Structure formats: structure tokens, C-alpha cells
Amino acid sequence: DKEKYFLRFNKDSAESPDFRGINYVVPYAFSGYALKSANLNESSLIEIYEGAFTGCSGLTSISLPFINKKTGLSSNGDDYLIHRMFGKEYFAGATKISCDVGYSSVFMADYYVPSTLKTVIICGGVVGNNALKNINSLKSISFISVTSIASSALSGVSRLNSIYFNYDTMSDFNAYNSPFGGNKLLGTDVEVTFGSNVTYIPRYMF
């Protein structure tokens, strides 16, 4: 079924494919494709494998029901890193980003993320430690119905212009436990929008 799905697209014109009915996005699924955007939120997705979007040098926007896996996330490793779906192999137009990865001990791993990536929308699941670390091409990010956002989720992300929250469990955020508090992530021109699910905005969140 996975093979059949990916053969439906012309390699030069699959700029925004239809993911409906798809359970898995396998390694190298879109390697070298002219992919501009990917909306996986209408899929029946279970997992995005490491390197699924490697080689997508023109990708500008991605919308996800969760990061990497629907269930079975490990507290160690790279399960929480969005970088994982772009893989560890260099491709033209990619930016190398080093992230802390914990197994038996903490070490650094290098990932290659499209330098064109401007917009990320996360519509569920856990946004864990270092989830979007150092992806400085990002201009806009949305958190919608996620279950939690780690304090280091946006470590090093410093060029955001737009942030959207529609996330109702922010009461655990404070000056010491927020992806924004004290990190100077917000520039003078950033627009912060709160959706109808937000019932509480913590003190010192920004």
C-alpha cells in the first residue's frame, strides 16, 4: 500500500500531495520531489519515518497531526525532534542542525532541514525537548490541541514573526518553564494569536 501510494505522484509536480488514507510515510518517500507543502492532518497517520522528507529542498510549509509518531514515544532518542523526518543525510538547500539525543548517554546528532521551511503547524501530541531546536528559517508556528510543550521545544528559534496557540493546558508555563519565557524568542514585530481553546495565559509566559 505504501508503494502504491507514492507511485501515484509525478516526481516533478507533486508540490502538495494528498495524504488522505495514509498510515505511514516511509524513508526517502519524497526524496528529490518538488514538494512545496505537506498537510498530513487529514491522514490516518501512525508514523513518519526518519528521512521521509529528506531531499525536499523547496519545502516551505508542513502541517502535522503529531511529531513523528502517534504513540509509543520514547523518553530518549529523537522521537520528539521534527528534524528526524528530514534525516541525517545532506541534500542541496539543507541546513545542518545539531541536536542533543539521549540514549544510554547524551550525544549530539546532525540533521539536515530544508532552509526554505517557514511554517510549521502541529495539531496534536507532545511537543518535546528540542522539538524545533535551531530551525531559524521558521517564521510562523502554530500549536493546536497539543498535549504539552516542553520548555526547550523552541530552543534557538529566534526569527519568528507569527505564533498561534489554540492549546488549553498552558497552566504549567511560568518564567522558568515556558518555550518563550526568558529566551528572547519574540521580536518586536511578532504577532501572537490565541484561539478559542485558550482559557488561561500564564504570568511571565513571554
PDB file of all heavy atoms in Angstrom, residues 143 154 163-165 170 173-175 178-186 190-194 201-206:
ATOM      1  N   PHE A 143       0.448  25.943  17.435  1.00  0.00           N
ATOM      2  CA  PHE A 143       0.233  24.812  18.328  1.00  0.00           C
ATOM      3  C   PHE A 143      -1.273  24.662  18.514  1.00  0.00           C
ATOM      4  O   PHE A 143      -1.920  25.545  19.079  1.00  0.00           O
ATOM      5  CB  PHE A 143       0.889  25.049  19.687  1.00  0.00           C
ATOM      6  CG  PHE A 143       2.385  25.211  19.624  1.00  0.00           C
ATOM      7  CD1 PHE A 143       2.970  26.452  19.846  1.00  0.00           C
ATOM      8  CD2 PHE A 143       3.207  24.142  19.346  1.00  0.00           C
ATOM      9  CE1 PHE A 143       4.347  26.615  19.809  1.00  0.00           C
ATOM     10  CE2 PHE A 143       4.591  24.292  19.302  1.00  0.00           C
ATOM     11  CZ  PHE A 143       5.148  25.523  19.532  1.00  0.00           C
ATOM     12  N   LEU A 154      11.503  25.170  21.650  1.00  0.00           N
ATOM     13  CA  LEU A 154      11.876  26.159  20.645  1.00  0.00           C
ATOM     14  C   LEU A 154      13.262  26.728  20.893  1.00  0.00           C
ATOM     15  O   LEU A 154      13.564  27.852  20.485  1.00  0.00           O
ATOM     16  CB  LEU A 154      10.843  27.285  20.608  1.00  0.00           C
ATOM     17  CG  LEU A 154       9.446  26.861  20.162  1.00  0.00           C
ATOM     18  CD1 LEU A 154       8.457  27.979  20.392  1.00  0.00           C
ATOM     19  CD2 LEU A 154       9.442  26.454  18.709  1.00  0.00           C
ATOM     20  N   ILE A 163       3.009  33.521  15.900  1.00  0.00           N
ATOM     21  CA  ILE A 163       2.777  32.348  16.753  1.00  0.00           C
ATOM     22  C   ILE A 163       1.284  32.249  17.023  1.00  0.00           C
ATOM     23  O   ILE A 163       0.641  33.248  17.375  1.00  0.00           O
ATOM     24  CB  ILE A 163       3.517  32.459  18.093  1.00  0.00           C
ATOM     25  CG1 ILE A 163       5.010  32.678  17.862  1.00  0.00           C
ATOM     26  CG2 ILE A 163       3.302  31.205  18.930  1.00  0.00           C
ATOM     27  CD1 ILE A 163       5.742  33.121  19.102  1.00  0.00           C
ATOM     28  N   TYR A 164       0.733  31.051  16.834  1.00  0.00           N
ATOM     29  CA  TYR A 164      -0.686  30.831  17.080  1.00  0.00           C
ATOM     30  C   TYR A 164      -0.844  29.715  18.099  1.00  0.00           C
ATOM     31  O   TYR A 164      -0.247  28.643  17.964  1.00  0.00           O
ATOM     32  CB  TYR A 164      -1.401  30.448  15.784  1.00  0.00           C
ATOM     33  CG  TYR A 164      -2.864  30.107  15.963  1.00  0.00           C
ATOM     34  CD1 TYR A 164      -3.800  31.099  16.223  1.00  0.00           C
ATOM     35  CD2 TYR A 164      -3.307  28.793  15.879  1.00  0.00           C
ATOM     36  CE1 TYR A 164      -5.146  30.784  16.391  1.00  0.00           C
ATOM     37  CE2 TYR A 164      -4.634  28.462  16.040  1.00  0.00           C
ATOM     38  CZ  TYR A 164      -5.555  29.476  16.291  1.00  0.00           C
ATOM     39  OH  TYR A 164      -6.872  29.155  16.470  1.00  0.00           O
ATOM     40  N   PHE A 165      -1.635  29.974  19.132  1.00  0.00           N
ATOM     41  CA  PHE A 165      -1.957  28.973  20.146  1.00  0.00           C
ATOM     42  C   PHE A 165      -3.447  28.684  20.110  1.00  0.00           C
ATOM     43  O   PHE A 165      -4.270  29.609  20.135  1.00  0.00           O
ATOM     44  CB  PHE A 165      -1.637  29.489  21.555  1.00  0.00           C
ATOM     45  CG  PHE A 165      -0.193  29.520  21.910  1.00  0.00           C
ATOM     46  CD1 PHE A 165       0.527  30.707  21.793  1.00  0.00           C
ATOM     47  CD2 PHE A 165       0.466  28.402  22.381  1.00  0.00           C
ATOM     48  CE1 PHE A 165       1.860  30.758  22.131  1.00  0.00           C
ATOM     49  CE2 PHE A 165       1.802  28.448  22.721  1.00  0.00           C
ATOM     50  CZ  PHE A 165       2.497  29.622  22.597  1.00  0.00           C
ATOM     51  N   MET A 170      -2.053  25.341  29.294  1.00  0.00           N
ATOM     52  CA  MET A 170      -0.840  26.139  29.454  1.00  0.00           C
ATOM     53  C   MET A 170      -0.584  26.550  30.900  1.00  0.00           C
ATOM     54  O   MET A 170       0.316  27.332  31.173  1.00  0.00           O
ATOM     55  CB  MET A 170      -0.905  27.384  28.570  1.00  0.00           C
ATOM     56  CG  MET A 170      -0.937  27.063  27.097  1.00  0.00           C
ATOM     57  SD  MET A 170      -0.612  28.511  26.060  1.00  0.00           S
ATOM     58  CE  MET A 170      -2.080  29.474  26.366  1.00  0.00           C
ATOM     59  N   PHE A 173       2.973  26.597  32.457  1.00  0.00           N
ATOM     60  CA  PHE A 173       4.007  27.521  31.999  1.00  0.00           C
ATOM     61  C   PHE A 173       4.241  28.616  33.038  1.00  0.00           C
ATOM     62  O   PHE A 173       3.324  29.098  33.689  1.00  0.00           O
ATOM     63  CB  PHE A 173       3.607  28.200  30.690  1.00  0.00           C
ATOM     64  CG  PHE A 173       3.673  27.308  29.489  1.00  0.00           C
ATOM     65  CD1 PHE A 173       3.148  27.738  28.288  1.00  0.00           C
ATOM     66  CD2 PHE A 173       4.257  26.060  29.540  1.00  0.00           C
ATOM     67  CE1 PHE A 173       3.202  26.932  27.168  1.00  0.00           C
ATOM     68  CE2 PHE A 173       4.318  25.247  28.426  1.00  0.00           C
ATOM     69  CZ  PHE A 173       3.776  25.689  27.235  1.00  0.00           C
ATOM     70  N   ASN A 174       5.500  28.996  33.185  1.00  0.00           N
ATOM     71  CA  ASN A 174       5.853  30.140  34.017  1.00  0.00           C
ATOM     72  C   ASN A 174       7.185  30.675  33.509  1.00  0.00           C
ATOM     73  O   ASN A 174       7.668  30.258  32.455  1.00  0.00           O
ATOM     74  CB  ASN A 174       5.925  29.753  35.503  1.00  0.00           C
ATOM     75  CG  ASN A 174       6.871  28.585  35.736  1.00  0.00           C
ATOM     76  OD1 ASN A 174       8.015  28.590  35.283  1.00  0.00           O
ATOM     77  ND2 ASN A 174       6.394  27.572  36.463  1.00  0.00           N
ATOM     78  N   ALA A 175       7.806  31.574  34.230  1.00  0.00           N
ATOM     79  CA  ALA A 175       9.050  32.194  33.768  1.00  0.00           C
ATOM     80  C   ALA A 175      10.168  31.180  33.586  1.00  0.00           C
ATOM     81  O   ALA A 175      11.103  31.413  32.832  1.00  0.00           O
ATOM     82  CB  ALA A 175       9.486  33.270  34.757  1.00  0.00           C
ATOM     83  N   SER A 178       8.705  27.621  30.193  1.00  0.00           N
ATOM     84  CA  SER A 178       7.955  28.070  29.027  1.00  0.00           C
ATOM     85  C   SER A 178       8.874  28.038  27.819  1.00  0.00           C
ATOM     86  O   SER A 178      10.062  28.324  27.944  1.00  0.00           O
ATOM     87  CB  SER A 178       7.442  29.495  29.233  1.00  0.00           C
ATOM     88  OG  SER A 178       6.958  30.025  28.018  1.00  0.00           O
ATOM     89  N   PRO A 179       8.345  27.693  26.648  1.00  0.00           N
ATOM     90  CA  PRO A 179       9.194  27.722  25.456  1.00  0.00           C
ATOM     91  C   PRO A 179       9.581  29.137  25.062  1.00  0.00           C
ATOM     92  O   PRO A 179      10.435  29.330  24.205  1.00  0.00           O
ATOM     93  CB  PRO A 179       8.306  27.073  24.385  1.00  0.00           C
ATOM     94  CG  PRO A 179       6.924  27.250  24.865  1.00  0.00           C
ATOM     95  CD  PRO A 179       6.997  27.210  26.359  1.00  0.00           C
ATOM     96  N   PHE A 180       8.969  30.130  25.704  1.00  0.00           N
ATOM     97  CA  PHE A 180       9.241  31.517  25.369  1.00  0.00           C
ATOM     98  C   PHE A 180       9.874  32.307  26.503  1.00  0.00           C
ATOM     99  O   PHE A 180      10.728  33.155  26.290  1.00  0.00           O
ATOM    100  CB  PHE A 180       7.946  32.228  24.958  1.00  0.00           C
ATOM    101  CG  PHE A 180       7.231  31.523  23.855  1.00  0.00           C
ATOM    102  CD1 PHE A 180       6.131  30.738  24.117  1.00  0.00           C
ATOM    103  CD2 PHE A 180       7.683  31.614  22.548  1.00  0.00           C
ATOM    104  CE1 PHE A 180       5.483  30.066  23.098  1.00  0.00           C
ATOM    105  CE2 PHE A 180       7.036  30.946  21.524  1.00  0.00           C
ATOM    106  CZ  PHE A 180       5.937  30.171  21.799  1.00  0.00           C
ATOM    107  N   GLY A 181       9.443  32.038  27.734  1.00  0.00           N
ATOM    108  CA  GLY A 181       9.852  32.853  28.866  1.00  0.00           C
ATOM    109  C   GLY A 181      11.354  32.978  29.019  1.00  0.00           C
ATOM    110  O   GLY A 181      12.053  31.997  29.218  1.00  0.00           O
ATOM    111  N   GLY A 182      11.870  34.199  28.917  1.00  0.00           N
ATOM    112  CA  GLY A 182      13.279  34.462  29.144  1.00  0.00           C
ATOM    113  C   GLY A 182      14.198  34.103  28.000  1.00  0.00           C
ATOM    114  O   GLY A 182      15.395  34.352  28.062  1.00  0.00           O
ATOM    115  N   ASN A 183      13.645  33.533  26.924  1.00  0.00           N
ATOM    116  CA  ASN A 183      14.502  33.084  25.835  1.00  0.00           C
ATOM    117  C   ASN A 183      14.665  34.099  24.714  1.00  0.00           C
ATOM    118  O   ASN A 183      15.368  33.853  23.742  1.00  0.00           O
ATOM    119  CB  ASN A 183      13.952  31.772  25.249  1.00  0.00           C
ATOM    120  CG  ASN A 183      14.090  30.620  26.219  1.00  0.00           C
ATOM    121  OD1 ASN A 183      14.995  30.590  27.037  1.00  0.00           O
ATOM    122  ND2 ASN A 183      13.180  29.672  26.140  1.00  0.00           N
ATOM    123  N   LYS A 184      13.966  35.218  24.826  1.00  0.00           N
ATOM    124  CA  LYS A 184      14.073  36.298  23.830  1.00  0.00           C
ATOM    125  C   LYS A 184      13.755  35.787  22.424  1.00  0.00           C
ATOM    126  O   LYS A 184      14.384  36.183  21.447  1.00  0.00           O
ATOM    127  CB  LYS A 184      15.477  36.920  23.853  1.00  0.00           C
ATOM    128  CG  LYS A 184      15.954  37.357  25.228  1.00  0.00           C
ATOM    129  CD  LYS A 184      15.070  38.431  25.821  1.00  0.00           C
ATOM    130  CE  LYS A 184      15.601  38.913  27.165  1.00  0.00           C
ATOM    131  NZ  LYS A 184      14.689  39.851  27.829  1.00  0.00           N
ATOM    132  N   LEU A 185      12.749  34.933  22.322  1.00  0.00           N
ATOM    133  CA  LEU A 185      12.393  34.397  21.015  1.00  0.00           C
ATOM    134  C   LEU A 185      11.527  35.359  20.225  1.00  0.00           C
ATOM    135  O   LEU A 185      11.426  35.248  19.006  1.00  0.00           O
ATOM    136  CB  LEU A 185      11.633  33.074  21.182  1.00  0.00           C
ATOM    137  CG  LEU A 185      12.410  31.916  21.786  1.00  0.00           C
ATOM    138  CD1 LEU A 185      11.500  30.706  21.927  1.00  0.00           C
ATOM    139  CD2 LEU A 185      13.595  31.557  20.919  1.00  0.00           C
ATOM    140  N   LEU A 186      10.886  36.261  20.907  1.00  0.00           N
ATOM    141  CA  LEU A 186       9.914  37.107  20.245  1.00  0.00           C
ATOM    142  C   LEU A 186      10.530  38.433  19.842  1.00  0.00           C
ATOM    143  O   LEU A 186      11.026  39.184  20.676  1.00  0.00           O
ATOM    144  CB  LEU A 186       8.710  37.359  21.168  1.00  0.00           C
ATOM    145  CG  LEU A 186       8.011  36.097  21.683  1.00  0.00           C
ATOM    146  CD1 LEU A 186       6.802  36.478  22.505  1.00  0.00           C
ATOM    147  CD2 LEU A 186       7.600  35.204  20.531  1.00  0.00           C
ATOM    148  N   VAL A 190       6.584  40.514  16.108  1.00  0.00           N
ATOM    149  CA  VAL A 190       5.899  39.229  16.144  1.00  0.00           C
ATOM    150  C   VAL A 190       4.421  39.410  16.473  1.00  0.00           C
ATOM    151  O   VAL A 190       4.038  40.287  17.248  1.00  0.00           O
ATOM    152  CB  VAL A 190       6.561  38.276  17.163  1.00  0.00           C
ATOM    153  CG1 VAL A 190       6.296  38.715  18.592  1.00  0.00           C
ATOM    154  CG2 VAL A 190       6.102  36.846  16.930  1.00  0.00           C
ATOM    155  N   GLU A 191       3.589  38.579  15.854  1.00  0.00           N
ATOM    156  CA  GLU A 191       2.154  38.581  16.124  1.00  0.00           C
ATOM    157  C   GLU A 191       1.793  37.302  16.854  1.00  0.00           C
ATOM    158  O   GLU A 191       2.053  36.199  16.367  1.00  0.00           O
ATOM    159  CB  GLU A 191       1.377  38.659  14.806  1.00  0.00           C
ATOM    160  CG  GLU A 191      -0.127  38.618  14.988  1.00  0.00           C
ATOM    161  CD  GLU A 191      -0.859  38.698  13.663  1.00  0.00           C
ATOM    162  OE1 GLU A 191      -0.921  39.796  13.091  1.00  0.00           O
ATOM    163  OE2 GLU A 191      -1.336  37.648  13.189  1.00  0.00           O
ATOM    164  N   VAL A 192       1.206  37.431  18.046  1.00  0.00           N
ATOM    165  CA  VAL A 192       0.797  36.276  18.846  1.00  0.00           C
ATOM    166  C   VAL A 192      -0.726  36.230  18.871  1.00  0.00           C
ATOM    167  O   VAL A 192      -1.378  37.207  19.236  1.00  0.00           O
ATOM    168  CB  VAL A 192       1.350  36.355  20.280  1.00  0.00           C
ATOM    169  CG1 VAL A 192       0.906  35.140  21.091  1.00  0.00           C
ATOM    170  CG2 VAL A 192       2.864  36.461  20.276  1.00  0.00           C
ATOM    171  N   THR A 193      -1.292  35.084  18.458  1.00  0.00           N
ATOM    172  CA  THR A 193      -2.741  34.929  18.380  1.00  0.00           C
ATOM    173  C   THR A 193      -3.165  33.746  19.236  1.00  0.00           C
ATOM    174  O   THR A 193      -2.504  32.700  19.232  1.00  0.00           O
ATOM    175  CB  THR A 193      -3.189  34.692  16.924  1.00  0.00           C
ATOM    176  OG1 THR A 193      -2.693  35.750  16.106  1.00  0.00           O
ATOM    177  CG2 THR A 193      -4.697  34.639  16.827  1.00  0.00           C
ATOM    178  N   PHE A 194      -4.266  33.926  19.978  1.00  0.00           N
ATOM    179  CA  PHE A 194      -4.798  32.857  20.827  1.00  0.00           C
ATOM    180  C   PHE A 194      -6.165  32.435  20.307  1.00  0.00           C
ATOM    181  O   PHE A 194      -7.043  33.271  20.091  1.00  0.00           O
ATOM    182  CB  PHE A 194      -4.918  33.321  22.279  1.00  0.00           C
ATOM    183  CG  PHE A 194      -3.602  33.652  22.921  1.00  0.00           C
ATOM    184  CD1 PHE A 194      -3.136  34.963  22.934  1.00  0.00           C
ATOM    185  CD2 PHE A 194      -2.821  32.665  23.487  1.00  0.00           C
ATOM    186  CE1 PHE A 194      -1.914  35.269  23.516  1.00  0.00           C
ATOM    187  CE2 PHE A 194      -1.604  32.966  24.063  1.00  0.00           C
ATOM    188  CZ  PHE A 194      -1.146  34.265  24.078  1.00  0.00           C
ATOM    189  N   ILE A 201      -3.742  32.365  30.235  1.00  0.00           N
ATOM    190  CA  ILE A 201      -2.415  32.756  29.761  1.00  0.00           C
ATOM    191  C   ILE A 201      -1.552  33.014  30.993  1.00  0.00           C
ATOM    192  O   ILE A 201      -1.792  33.960  31.742  1.00  0.00           O
ATOM    193  CB  ILE A 201      -2.488  34.023  28.882  1.00  0.00           C
ATOM    194  CG1 ILE A 201      -3.395  33.771  27.676  1.00  0.00           C
ATOM    195  CG2 ILE A 201      -1.087  34.414  28.405  1.00  0.00           C
ATOM    196  CD1 ILE A 201      -3.676  35.000  26.851  1.00  0.00           C
ATOM    197  N   PRO A 202      -0.555  32.184  31.232  1.00  0.00           N
ATOM    198  CA  PRO A 202       0.226  32.274  32.475  1.00  0.00           C
ATOM    199  C   PRO A 202       1.045  33.561  32.574  1.00  0.00           C
ATOM    200  O   PRO A 202       1.463  34.135  31.566  1.00  0.00           O
ATOM    201  CB  PRO A 202       1.147  31.056  32.395  1.00  0.00           C
ATOM    202  CG  PRO A 202       0.561  30.164  31.383  1.00  0.00           C
ATOM    203  CD  PRO A 202      -0.137  31.057  30.400  1.00  0.00           C
ATOM    204  N   ARG A 203       1.281  33.948  33.777  1.00  0.00           N
ATOM    205  CA  ARG A 203       2.170  35.062  34.063  1.00  0.00           C
ATOM    206  C   ARG A 203       3.596  34.696  33.602  1.00  0.00           C
ATOM    207  O   ARG A 203       4.041  33.569  33.750  1.00  0.00           O
ATOM    208  CB  ARG A 203       2.172  35.320  35.571  1.00  0.00           C
ATOM    209  CG  ARG A 203       2.906  36.588  35.991  1.00  0.00           C
ATOM    210  CD  ARG A 203       2.831  36.719  37.498  1.00  0.00           C
ATOM    211  NE  ARG A 203       3.462  37.951  37.950  1.00  0.00           N
ATOM    212  CZ  ARG A 203       3.654  38.269  39.223  1.00  0.00           C
ATOM    213  NH1 ARG A 203       3.253  37.428  40.171  1.00  0.00           N
ATOM    214  NH2 ARG A 203       4.225  39.416  39.563  1.00  0.00           N
ATOM    215  N   TYR A 204       4.258  35.659  33.031  1.00  0.00           N
ATOM    216  CA  TYR A 204       5.649  35.502  32.557  1.00  0.00           C
ATOM    217  C   TYR A 204       5.795  34.517  31.396  1.00  0.00           C
ATOM    218  O   TYR A 204       6.897  34.074  31.110  1.00  0.00           O
ATOM    219  CB  TYR A 204       6.576  35.055  33.683  1.00  0.00           C
ATOM    220  CG  TYR A 204       6.606  35.983  34.869  1.00  0.00           C
ATOM    221  CD1 TYR A 204       6.321  35.497  36.143  1.00  0.00           C
ATOM    222  CD2 TYR A 204       6.916  37.340  34.727  1.00  0.00           C
ATOM    223  CE1 TYR A 204       6.366  36.345  37.250  1.00  0.00           C
ATOM    224  CE2 TYR A 204       6.948  38.181  35.811  1.00  0.00           C
ATOM    225  CZ  TYR A 204       6.669  37.684  37.070  1.00  0.00           C
ATOM    226  OH  TYR A 204       6.693  38.511  38.153  1.00  0.00           O
ATOM    227  N   MET A 205       4.685  34.165  30.743  1.00  0.00           N
ATOM    228  CA  MET A 205       4.806  33.206  29.653  1.00  0.00           C
ATOM    229  C   MET A 205       5.765  33.697  28.558  1.00  0.00           C
ATOM    230  O   MET A 205       6.503  32.926  27.970  1.00  0.00           O
ATOM    231  CB  MET A 205       3.433  32.942  29.038  1.00  0.00           C
ATOM    232  CG  MET A 205       3.489  31.939  27.898  1.00  0.00           C
ATOM    233  SD  MET A 205       1.845  31.496  27.326  1.00  0.00           S
ATOM    234  CE  MET A 205       2.275  30.451  25.941  1.00  0.00           C
ATOM    235  N   PHE A 206       5.737  34.984  28.306  1.00  0.00           N
ATOM    236  CA  PHE A 206       6.621  35.553  27.284  1.00  0.00           C
ATOM    237  C   PHE A 206       7.717  36.404  27.895  1.00  0.00           C
ATOM    238  O   PHE A 206       8.391  37.117  27.175  1.00  0.00           O
ATOM    239  CB  PHE A 206       5.799  36.375  26.300  1.00  0.00           C
ATOM    240  CG  PHE A 206       4.762  35.566  25.574  1.00  0.00           C
ATOM    241  CD1 PHE A 206       3.421  35.678  25.901  1.00  0.00           C
ATOM    242  CD2 PHE A 206       5.136  34.662  24.598  1.00  0.00           C
ATOM    243  CE1 PHE A 206       2.463  34.912  25.239  1.00  0.00           C
ATOM    244  CE2 PHE A 206       4.175  33.895  23.949  1.00  0.00           C
ATOM    245  CZ  PHE A 206       2.840  34.032  24.267  1.00  0.00           C
TER     246      PHE A 206
END
